[in-house]
Amino acid sequence: LETFSSDGSQVSFTMRVSSKSAAANALIQLRTFESLATVTTTGLEAEDDGTVSMSVICTYANPAPLDNTEE
């Protein structure tokens, strides 16, 4: 993982893998998680060394409730 963030309703991250095949396998694995409703990517970026970078956004199947308390 290169970057990672989550807001309780979705998670987004950028990851680098060894090949396009490894990128496809990572997305397939993520789509098997029951806790994730959707898994999308904005596309793959192939590097000169053969590695692949991709940004992924996943929405949670059961998002965390919002904290509406005032401070």
Side-chain angles (χ1 to χ4, degrees):
L1 287 179
E2 295 181 330
T3 64
F4 181 92
S5 67
S6 176
D7 65 7
S9 65
Q10 72 178 18
V11 60
S12 61
F13 56 90
T14 304
M15 63 186 296
R16 182 177 306 277
V17 293
S18 60
S19 65
K20 288 182 181 179
S21 175
N25 285 334
L27 291 172
I28 289 168
Q29 283 289 359
L30 286 167
R31 289 182 175 135
T32 67
F33 291 12
E34 291 181 17
S35 60
L36 299 176
T38 63
V39 177
T40 57
T41 182
T42 57
L44 306 175
E45 186 174 318
E47 303 296 331
D48 291 337
D49 63 0
T51 61
V52 174
S53 179
M54 65 178 171
S55 297
V56 180
I57 299 173
C58 306
T59 56
Y60 293 118
N62 295 307
L66 294 175
D67 182 4
N68 293 326
T69 59
E70 293 184 31
E71 295 181 17

